[in-house]
Amino acid sequence: MPTSRSRCSPLRAIAATAALLLPLAACSSSGESGGSGDQRLRVVMAFPPAQAMSPYGDDAVTLSRLAVVEGLTTLDRNGAAKPSLAASWKQDNPTTWTFTLRDAVFQDGAKVDPEAVVRSLTAAGKASPLPRVLSDTTLKATVTGARTVRIVTGEADPLLPQRLANPSLAILSAPAYQGGKVNPAGHATGPFTLTDVKGAVAATLERNADYWGDKAKAPGVDVTFAADGTARANALRTKAVDVAEYVPIAQASLLGDSYVHEFPSARTNGLSLNTERGVFADPALRAAAREAIDSKALVDGVYEGRADTAQGLLGPGIPWAAGQRTAPTGRTPAASRADIARTKEIVLATYTNRPELPEVATLVQQQLEKRGFTVKQVVRDYAQMEADALAGKYDAFIQARNTLLDTADPVSYLASDFTCDGSFNISQLCDRKVDTAVAKAASLTGTDARHNAEMTAEAAVLGADALVPLVHERFVQGYDDARVEGVALDPMERTLITADTHVG
């Protein structure tokens, strides 16, 4: 493993934004020789750390996508749980499970033992705000043997093995919890060790020589964060980076097929309407906003055909959904133009980290104004907006949401985003029918029965017009497939860089 790296020089910018956001992208190992497996990876990510790499927010996904953290389980491509730090598990009764740990050590040399598992899961359950994956359940972990942990849930939870694969439930060593904040740097178990974070600008990873599985083929990863999508594409085009996360649709054709890797996703872009206060507290005005939206115009005009028209909360990235979808229930008739004309100006917000969203916001604004609404846009970096969005300070918020991110099953998404106690409820929805439908889905053990119940819950959410689906995204990741191998194209967005990722 290299122990020293050359002094970094600024990236020659295509635009001033790139110069500001990618100052470290050209850094490389002083021992780099260019052969397979001995060259450091250079990766540019779309979302800068929002919580100093805490595992209890969206930074947890970044840590997972960079192969830094691991949980007791992981997921296969079909969303089924498979062993990770837990070698095996069994269900003792509807609320009790026993997990047997594999022989592994943390990146700081400490042993992965039952006490560490209990510490990590307990800390996650006490975090504020609570991780979304725990919004619909409680966990209590106890040591039951030299290599076993018992986990008890508040209610029967058939998805517990999938839930424990969530990056927010990563297992960390004791020093990670010192000082009042959770610090995964050097205290996780993944094939790469996070060794340095330079605020929202850059991060450094090194190969974990003590990893329990196959060792990383790359000696390390130099990560830069750039919310500007054009800057990410330019960095890839000029070979300043090897992998660019989320290439903008507008840049895909310019990069060419050898750099562009498009695949279906479980992500739905939606317009969350504030059901609690402001103009859209009136369901008739929410219905009018829904009727104003033209999904096909968004697909054609913004996504250049690289997206699918909105069908519901769950799109074609979840194949079973279409066959079990039911019509929305309980919708209020739309308000008249006269009623719309009497409303106050609405604030429509979105973020820059996904470059298509500001364009979507502009087109949505035009569609709403054509219906008679007066609209003001607010567009900023996501890290500057999340708290206000969750506090209900916007009338409407456009977001791109992975509906399988939390447990690989949409019941967690439905619970966190649309129930009264949901931890990611941007629409501020509190509807007894929705809560009842989601609770029923969460209680069912049979896959088909749960899926049917989830579609009933979807119909209730759509009936309330709490969220207007806009489009179903397809992912576009950027790398030169003639040079870079082992990049994970994961519809659930859990993985990107893996132990196999390297420059050939």
Side-chain angles (χ1 to χ4, degrees), residues 26-40:
C27 296
S28 62
S29 166
S30 61
E32 179 183 305
S33 64
S36 176
D38 59 11
Q39 183 171 332
R40 294 181 68 83

Side-chain angles (χ1 to χ4, degrees), residues 278-321:
V279 170
F280 292 127
D282 183 341
L285 291 167
R286 297 199 300 273
R290 167 180 42 83
E291 290 186 353
I293 299 302
D294 182 349
S295 176
K296 187 175 187 304
L298 296 170
V299 170
D300 295 340
V302 177
Y303 290 89
E304 301 178 7
R306 296 180 186 266
D308 297 293
T309 55
Q311 303 300 313
L313 301 179
L314 310 180
I318 306 174
W320 56 262

Side-chain angles (χ1 to χ4, degrees), residues 99 217 286 321 391 415:
F99 290 79
K217 292 180 179 178
R286 297 199 300 273

Side-chain angles (χ1 to χ4, degrees), residues 54-399:
S54 166
Y56 301 142
D58 286 333
D59 290 356
V61 179
T62 299
L63 292 167
S64 177
R65 288 172 69 75
L66 292 173
V68 172
V69 298
E70 297 175 311
L72 290 179
T73 61
T74 188
L75 301 175
D76 66 16
R77 294 191 67 83
N78 294 320
K82 63 180 183 178
S84 183
L85 294 178
S88 62
W89 56 88
K90 64 184 180 72
Q91 187 172 14
D92 302 317
N93 59 55
T95 61
T96 305
W97 302 67
T98 297
F99 290 79
T100 301
L101 305 184
R102 72 168 65 253
D103 187 12
V105 297
F106 291 104
Q107 294 157 351
D108 56 17
K111 185 176 179 57
V112 177
D113 56 19
E115 288 78 10
V117 173
V118 170
R119 181 189 308 112
S120 294
L121 296 181
T122 301
K126 293 180 178 179
S128 180
L130 192 69
R132 290 193 302 266
V133 69
L134 295 180
S135 64
D136 59 341
T137 194
T138 58
L139 305 180
K140 182 177 181 180
T142 56
V143 176
T144 55
R147 295 181 59 208
T148 57
V149 175
R150 176 180 295 128
I151 299 178
V152 179
T153 58
E155 297 179 354
D157 184 7
L159 294 175
L160 181 64
Q162 288 95 325
R163 191 182 303 276
L164 291 170
N166 188 279
S168 288
L169 301 183
I171 307 302
L172 306 174
S173 63
Y177 302 96
Q178 297 176 355
K181 294 183 178 181
V182 182
N183 177 19
H187 306 306
T189 60
F192 288 106
T193 301
L194 178 65
T195 59
D196 186 35
V197 180
K198 292 181 173 61
V201 176
T204 303
L205 315 180
E206 304 294 347
R207 179 194 287 138
N208 176 10
D210 297 321
Y211 185 55
W212 57 266
D214 294 335
K215 305 299 185 292
K217 292 180 179 178
V221 185
D222 296 312
V223 183
T224 51
F225 300 100
D228 185 274
T230 300
R232 295 196 301 276
N234 286 339
L236 184 65
R237 182 181 294 110
T238 59
K239 302 187 186 303
V241 299
D242 304 306
V243 180
E245 184 185 42
Y246 300 131
V247 171
I249 298 297
Q251 298 291 323
S253 60
L254 299 176
L255 285 170
D257 291 342
S258 65
Y259 283 93
V260 173
H261 303 270
E262 178 184 336
F263 58 104
S265 79
R267 184 174 289 279
T268 295
N269 292 2
L271 176 68
S272 295
L273 301 177
N274 191 330
T275 64
E276 186 178 50
R277 63 178 72 93
V279 170
F280 292 127
D282 183 341
L285 291 167
R286 297 199 300 273
R290 167 180 42 83
E291 290 186 353
I293 299 302
D294 182 349
S295 176
K296 187 175 187 304
L298 296 170
V299 170
D300 295 340
V302 177
Y303 290 89
E304 301 178 7
R306 296 180 186 266
D308 297 293
T309 55
Q311 303 300 313
L313 301 179
L314 310 180
I318 306 174
W320 56 262
Q324 300 186 48
R325 177 163 286 120
T326 60
T329 55
R331 274 181 167 164
T332 299
S336 68
R337 280 190 168 274
D339 289 336
I340 295 171
R342 287 191 288 269
T343 63
K344 297 180 180 179
E345 178 183 71
I346 62 174
V347 177
L348 170 66
T350 194
Y351 43 95
T352 57
N353 307 74
R354 292 186 178 275
E356 294 79 27
L357 293 190
E359 294 183 59
V360 169
T362 296
L363 195 50
V364 166
Q365 178 177 357
Q366 293 171 2
Q367 293 175 354
L368 291 172
E369 288 176 341
K370 185 177 180 180
R371 184 77 178 195
F373 291 98
T374 302
V375 182
K376 172 187 175 182
Q377 274 195 54
V378 174
V379 180
R380 296 199 299 270
D381 182 271
Y382 180 81
Q384 301 171 349
M385 307 188 78
E386 183 182 67
D388 285 347
L390 290 172
K393 293 187 178 181
Y394 305 119
D395 296 297
F397 189 77
I398 296 174
Q399 60 171 325

